[in-house]
Amino acid sequence: MSSNDHVDPARLFATRDLTEALAAPLSPEDQTVQSMPDVSPTKWHRAHTTWFFETFLLQPEVPRYRPVDDRYAYLFNSYYEALGDRHPRVARGMVSRPGAAEVGEYRAAVDASLEQLVGGGVPERLHDIVELGIQHEQQHQELLLMDAQHVLSGHPVAAPYAATTRPSTGDQPPELTWRFHEGGVHCVGHEGDAFGFDNEFPRHEALVTPFEIAERLVTCGEWQSFVDDGGYERPELWMSDGWAAVCSQGWAAPLYWIDRGAGPAVFGLSGDRPMVPDEPVSHVSWFEADAFARWAGARLPTEFEWELAAPAEPPPGASLDTAVLGPRAASGSADPQQWYGELWQWTESAYRPYPGFRPANGAIGEYNGKFMVNQQVLRGSSFGTPDGHARRSYRNFYPPSGRWMFSGVRLARDAVR
Amino acid sequence: MSSNDHVDPARLFATRDLTEALAAPLSPEDQTVQSMPDVSPTKWHRAHTTWFFETFLLQPEVPRYRPVDDRYAYLFNSYYEALGDRHPRVARGMVSRPGAAEVGEYRAAVDASLEQLVGGGVPERLHDIVELGIQHEQQHQELLLMDAQHVLSGHPVAAPYAATTRPSTGDQPPELTWRFHEGGVHCVGHEGDAFGFDNEFPRHEALVTPFEIAERLVTCGEWQSFVDDGGYERPELWMSDGWAAVCSQGWAAPLYWIDRGAGPAVFGLSGDRPMVPDEPVSHVSWFEADAFARWAGARLPTEFEWELAAPAEPPPGASLDTAVLGPRAASGSADPQQWYGELWQWTESAYRPYPGFRPANGAIGEYNGKFMVNQQVLRGSSFGTPDGHARRSYRNFYPPSGRWMFSGVRLARDAVR
Amino acid sequence: MSSNDHVDPARLFATRDLTEALAAPLSPEDQTVQSMPDVSPTKWHRAHTTWFFETFLLQPEVPRYRPVDDRYAYLFNSYYEALGDRHPRVARGMVSRPGAAEVGEYRAAVDASLEQLVGGGVPERLHDIVELGIQHEQQHQELLLMDAQHVLSGHPVAAPYAATTRPSTGDQPPELTWRFHEGGVHCVGHEGDAFGFDNEFPRHEALVTPFEIAERLVTCGEWQSFVDDGGYERPELWMSDGWAAVCSQGWAAPLYWIDRGAGPAVFGLSGDRPMVPDEPVSHVSWFEADAFARWAGARLPTEFEWELAAPAEPPPGASLDTAVLGPRAASGSADPQQWYGELWQWTESAYRPYPGFRPANGAIGEYNGKFMVNQQVLRGSSFGTPDGHARRSYRNFYPPSGRWMFSGVRLARDAVR
Amino acid sequence: MSSNDHVDPARLFATRDLTEALAAPLSPEDQTVQSMPDVSPTKWHRAHTTWFFETFLLQPEVPRYRPVDDRYAYLFNSYYEALGDRHPRVARGMVSRPGAAEVGEYRAAVDASLEQLVGGGVPERLHDIVELGIQHEQQHQELLLMDAQHVLSGHPVAAPYAATTRPSTGDQPPELTWRFHEGGVHCVGHEGDAFGFDNEFPRHEALVTPFEIAERLVTCGEWQSFVDDGGYERPELWMSDGWAAVCSQGWAAPLYWIDRGAGPAVFGLSGDRPMVPDEPVSHVSWFEADAFARWAGARLPTEFEWELAAPAEPPPGASLDTAVLGPRAASGSADPQQWYGELWQWTESAYRPYPGFRPANGAIGEYNGKFMVNQQVLRGSSFGTPDGHARRSYRNFYPPSGRWMFSGVRLARDAVR
């Protein structure tokens, strides 16, 4: 993780404030529920990101710092083994205390200490850890949203997170076109001095075969065709483990496609909406993305194909906007689009360390490295990714069966000439 | 269920109010958590008892009655198959909405309708159903307390329901003495016109062998001796299924005995307290009670032995008092005591219908009958049982592995002369 | 367990030989499989009954007796905790060695030692233990058959145990008639000096309400009517736990009713046979029996009702005959019939100890007592019960969800006059 | 899969015979048991390989061919979805029939048909499918051995597969030395016309960073040091999923390390043997191999590193020899050794398709492709791999938690210059 020019107090406290703003539409009860082991309650996210600053910044840097509550280290450590015992992840929904308001007090107390420590400016030697704290909290902002959607989806009655508007769209997405890339040996991984997570390093050469990549994401309408063509009923389209998931979980459509009797609809952060054919399909697992691609006569891109083809920077506005909590349809243009700010894009690549990867020393070294097996890489970013968090070399990762993240599909194929 | 003289509006609304008073110390977050499948969230209890009045009283009796929310029938039906689909019990903790405050509004709206319907006096023909609604809500008041204790016990930090006081006690319980009963053919079951649940009927004759029954409950000190003597390590003391539970669940003491490093303690509704040897042991399963009795050279009483030996009426004050949320020690007197108002008492009797048992017609017929297998009967009442709810013929019942109820142990033995 | 006049070597060795004859149709592979945790492999039954004689007779009585194999105590102890560690029940099908032939050698070696010890006559002081060994092995003979049927039923292709013939029957069972009993206080439990298991003692008085009991068993045709009337789809007919089993296990007919495309059929020890309407229905759980009875406007008899109504002795021929491995239809006569030698009959009674019950000392005391909870009593005997094993006071028992035993249904009802 | 010069009847029937020779030490009972879902019974392997020839060779090629038994298609199809329903894998141990002898008859019948079809010489057009049948059966020969070892390991008493001898070894392995490779862009994947599985294709270029690779395998003695140093108690050494496996499965040593009271020992196909420090450690999962490498300051090789460093051909004798059923110690020489014929070697590489991978058409296309996720690649071969089956481009694969295969560890590290 490299240093960053923008490590200033304003950005730190804006990040802290955004978390509270994202939690605000959720009641204390909403903030308490854990709807499955992978999901964390909202108030846990709020407390955990606070514990992170307390543990990695305040405790080492503030002389005689007293934790706000000695018991929080046990409750709000996520997975850092080096920091001692912690409350089991699967039981986060069992803990009603501290409540949402007490967590707010915890946040305020830690913010006050942060203000004292770095409010006048972040000293150079703390740039890395403050930046990491910001980036970490941004990750949890997206997690907070996708976890909240899952919690609310479990209600027998429609339960929106917030009313949002989205630009109306027609039903015809632009025709799917392909962009050619000649491949070759190219540098991949994090470049430059800006912040990056350990898993984006070291920058290194990779050999890529010529390929073509889709100019836009797969749409709901295309996915409907897959469903209609027996996509969820034909084992030959699926990885063996994926087919087992289809059978045991009863998958027959993306996670949040529902039919409450009023036609095909999709449950989202703004509640139920009619399914819009030209919007990108979301909340599909890697298994589904992989099967869809096979059905379509294509495949998923590798993570390096994606990286070589993607724009160097997210375009302005391609990030979290609480007024638009869902992916937007592609424009009519065939220009490459939807790389950032709509949906994370599954890749063909297993999540493994780059050649020469070295985790950081100490507890922070557990940040990414220990998850590098049995996961697939996603690239890009989503409508839930906060401004300033996405970059071309960013490696997101989830198990191939995961469906509750803001995931979508961009196709690729071998270049034939 | 027979009619009852005391079916008056004051008693109805006092019962309704008591539920809210019992929930008041619990935060919205506390009221949301379901700590195991057998437990229901507090706000669910508050809503379910309200749905009961709405469904069985308001809907049939109030012309053009509109339910407060059409969706509540699905959420708050507990187990009445005849009333249609319902939300799965194991997932009650997944539902954050309606929240605690909305449930309060639901209760207020239904209370207002009840006030309109019966506020001026309960018509004769509604006595039975109003009485059943009161009795039903009283049951849930005790469930609310025992479920809340379980929820709070799951916290990694001590989490009291409320600060309560209890009379200080010495450490020496009165010596255990036995009361002889000559047995014979006796009438058992509900007698008289007062309210009784269907499972207490019909009153009938039972043949009972001469027996002796303990004058007081088993104490924590006596249970400690059982533990010290290897009670949880000796399979010969246990039913086969009980021993399997010991091994698979790691039972080594009653449910809420803890040791947080400051000596033997018991977690209760007022938080952790040092273990007091002369207080009755509580929160033991039937398996444990049965093993203890075997170890003690005794056995549990049958439900009819208990009924023949018990006082005809609970003494004054032997019921729920929110200032004393735990069982009290026996007094020095050898008089029979602790039959009511301390702890439910496990019996040797499997829960089966009485000869000639007939469930009521309609959904209400599901009230008790369909649970009459794989459960053991408990008799008496507990410190969590509201005033007016207990009676000598009352049959409480739980699976033999259950431990989270307010259960205790009274010994019996065959009379030898 | 009382002494018995017929404890002679011939009976002992005839019992030993019958076990081998019952195993003979089963291949070494058949004898190895454990199709569910409740089932034991055939060769395990053969070895366990042999270990029983070795442990409880040869070791105490033969000076310097050396076990045939020291490791068998671990493998073939069923559940006697007092005798030390033992191989887990659920893993009996994992153990291929000793094989079926080696188990045969084990049996022969123990038989030779038995011959030496008691071949010339069983001394008076050994009557009890030899009798118990015989009775124990007879129990396992029936278990061997019912377990083998379950193993073979799991095959995707029809796999008969043996070809057997059964008398052809018409399709019309005799009309169901009822036998009245006046009830009252009667002695129940084991009477006289002949052998009985500990759970049949002590003989004691029981008070029984006037009742009527069916003269014959429920037939397959009657069960078909229950199925046709939605018996497996109507929760109001079922205990709550039973309905949960219907839903989670997908019960829609008795265990071995099948339809391989050639009309309704029943899988039995002789393979598939067309369903014969007037034959008794078999392989139903207590939950199913209880639901059927409710549907039929009747109930199951209590175990004492059964005992008071049943013939004092099984009629000649009403026991295991390897040429007729299934229940026979009732004759046209309305005489009470099918009490013994067809199917065990579920009762309404939970399996609990009789008043004054005392288990034997030592490991043998674990024989029955520790299973006396969460089980229901069955009375009578079945086509799989060996000659001389059944008696009126015999208490068989299984969990209410069990279906793989030779169980049937006899109805009862309260007497109305 | 390419054609092969050595497709002659002699090799076909020698392969068929070897399977029977490998099964011969196992009794019918041994051949029936399935000790966990991943294991198949011996007789299932024998039948499945036979079904493979029947389905993919005899049925298409022999006019009016009648399957030996119509029911075998259901029982002995492993995972080919395109061929219809099949018996569930987890229940293979439930099926006692056909027995071991009947399976032998099935094999003989199919062999006779094969003799008729190709006994005089394999026609050119059948080379591919006959070769695939041979290679497929060779795979199952190794599976048969590793599955048999797992079955026998579950016995409470030592149960060897066969008595074998191994050259005695001293206790000091050769010092661990490293071989440097300069990396670069190299061709990897299957080369030439000889047979290869679909997953070895297409041959393609890969970019490899300079690296060093160990000249021999990790030994038991080195693993003991890892254990002694708390290797199984230090979460920082493990992938997160691996640490979860350590905790939930109680891993504390390789799968077959045992201590029956007579010092450290290893259970193998010849039964218990004392642990020999200089023999290669075997039966470790990828999680363990990865943690060991981290502890050793190294890492696992990627599959392409392995391929670039390995000898082009297995040396003579580096394959299955039923007289030596375990891995042999490295010789004193520092020459690269133990690449083939001792233990499969875990690699750092996730099992994914090569660029341009295309599965075959039809059911055969399911051979490898559908398993290409959530698995790690192993390279080399083992003492259980039949002669002629191994090659440098061979890609074996198992889930990272698997331990029952003949797996070992070769270390690698980044080259530092």
Side-chain angles (χ1 to χ4, degrees), chain A residues 94-320:
Chain A
M94 297 296 104
V95 180
S96 58
R97 303 180 186 182
E102 278 175 281
V103 168
E105 291 161 20
Y106 177 37
R107 291 185 64 90
V110 165
D111 283 353
S113 294
L114 289 173
E115 179 69 38
Q116 277 202 297
L117 180 66
V118 298
V122 181
E124 182 76 26
R125 71 185 162 79
L126 299 184
H127 273 204
D128 277 11
I129 189 63
V130 169
E131 180 68 42
L132 183 63
I134 291 171
Q135 297 277 345
H136 172 259
E137 185 140 356
Q138 287 180 320
Q139 288 184 307
H140 279 276
Q141 288 164 352
E142 180 161 356
L143 291 169
L144 184 158
L145 287 173
M146 63 191 238
D147 287 359
Q149 180 171 353
H150 193 265
V151 166
L152 296 171
S153 76
H155 286 51
V157 297
Y161 162 82
T164 61
T165 60
R166 268 192 278 183
S168 67
T169 56
D171 279 2
Q172 287 304 322
E175 198 187 349
L176 183 62
T177 54
W178 301 83
R179 186 177 179 191
F180 169 78
H181 192 285
E182 76 292 348
V185 172
H186 292 270
C187 273
V188 293
H190 192 278
E191 188 176 15
D193 288 336
F195 175 85
F197 283 115
D198 54 359
N199 62 5
E200 303 169 45
F201 294 89
R203 187 159 173 84
H204 66 286
E205 292 193 324
L207 173 57
V208 175
T209 310
F211 66 95
E212 295 184 326
I213 194 163
E215 307 265 26
R216 61 161 173 80
L217 301 183
V218 170
T219 64
C220 289
E222 289 162 343
W223 202 274
Q224 183 67 57
S225 300
F226 171 67
V227 172
D228 293 345
D229 195 35
Y232 287 89
E233 294 150 29
R234 294 164 51 186
E236 73 271 19
L237 296 172
W238 296 77
M239 287 284 132
S240 181
D241 284 358
W243 184 244
V246 168
C247 296
S248 68
Q249 310 292 318
W251 291 352
L255 176 58
Y256 293 129
W257 284 29
I258 49 176
D259 193 339
R260 303 201 213 254
V266 182
F267 175 80
L269 285 164
S270 51
D272 294 352
R273 291 178 77 229
M275 193 265 273
V276 178
D278 72 342
E279 285 184 358
V281 68
S282 68
H283 293 100
V284 293
S285 62
W286 183 90
F287 288 134
E288 289 164 288
D290 171 75
F292 178 91
R294 194 166 290 112
W295 171 81
R299 58 173 173 79
L300 302 177
T302 68
E303 63 171 319
F304 297 145
E305 289 171 347
W306 191 97
E307 188 168 330
L308 293 183
E313 300 275 334
S319 59
L320 173 59

Side-chain angles (χ1 to χ4, degrees), chain B residues 3-33:
Chain B
S3 64
N4 190 298
D5 290 342
H6 303 87
V7 182
D8 59 51
R11 193 163 141 259
L12 168 61
F13 293 109
T15 301
R16 297 283 296 160
D17 292 347
L18 177 56
T19 301
E20 293 298 85
L22 292 174
L26 297 163
S27 70
E29 296 90 338
D30 292 337
Q31 295 196 28
T32 300
V33 171

Side-chain angles (χ1 to χ4, degrees), chain B residues 113-334:
Chain B
S113 294
L114 290 173
E115 178 69 39
Q116 279 202 299
L117 181 65
V118 299
V122 181
E124 182 76 24
R125 70 185 162 79
L126 299 183
H127 272 203
D128 277 9
I129 189 63
V130 169
E131 180 67 41
L132 183 63
I134 290 171
Q135 297 276 345
H136 172 261
E137 186 142 352
Q138 288 180 318
Q139 289 185 306
H140 279 275
Q141 288 164 352
E142 180 162 355
L143 291 170
L144 184 159
L145 287 173
M146 62 192 238
D147 287 359
Q149 180 171 354
H150 193 267
V151 166
L152 296 172
S153 76
H155 286 51
V157 297
Y161 162 81
T164 61
T165 59
R166 268 191 279 182
S168 68
T169 55
D171 280 3
Q172 287 303 324
E175 199 186 348
L176 183 62
T177 54
W178 302 84
R179 185 175 178 190
F180 170 78
H181 191 287
E182 77 291 348
V185 172
H186 293 270
C187 273
V188 293
H190 192 278
E191 188 175 16
D193 288 336
F195 174 84
F197 283 115
D198 53 0
N199 61 5
E200 304 168 45
F201 295 89
R203 189 162 172 82
H204 65 286
E205 291 192 326
L207 172 57
V208 176
T209 310
F211 66 95
E212 294 183 325
I213 193 162
E215 307 264 27
R216 62 163 173 79
L217 300 184
V218 170
T219 65
C220 288
E222 288 162 344
W223 202 273
Q224 183 66 58
S225 300
F226 171 67
V227 173
D228 294 343
D229 195 36
Y232 286 90
E233 294 150 29
R234 293 165 52 186
E236 73 271 19
L237 296 173
W238 295 77
M239 286 284 133
S240 180
D241 284 358
W243 184 244
V246 168
C247 296
S248 69
Q249 310 292 318
W251 290 352
L255 176 57
Y256 292 130
W257 284 28
I258 51 176
D259 192 340
R260 302 200 213 254
V266 182
F267 176 81
L269 285 164
S270 51
D272 295 350
R273 289 178 78 230
M275 192 263 273
V276 178
D278 72 341
E279 287 185 359
V281 69
S282 68
H283 293 99
V284 292
S285 63
W286 183 89
F287 287 135
E288 289 164 288
D290 171 73
F292 178 91
R294 194 166 291 109
W295 171 80
R299 58 172 174 79
L300 302 177
T302 68
E303 63 171 320
F304 297 146
E305 288 171 348
W306 191 98
E307 188 169 331
L308 294 183
E313 298 276 335
S319 60
L320 174 59
D321 172 354
T322 54
V324 191
L325 290 170
R328 280 158 294 207
S331 73
S333 156

Side-chain angles (χ1 to χ4, degrees), chain C residues 7-15 119:
Chain C
V7 182
D8 59 53
R11 193 163 142 259
L12 167 61
F13 293 109
T15 301

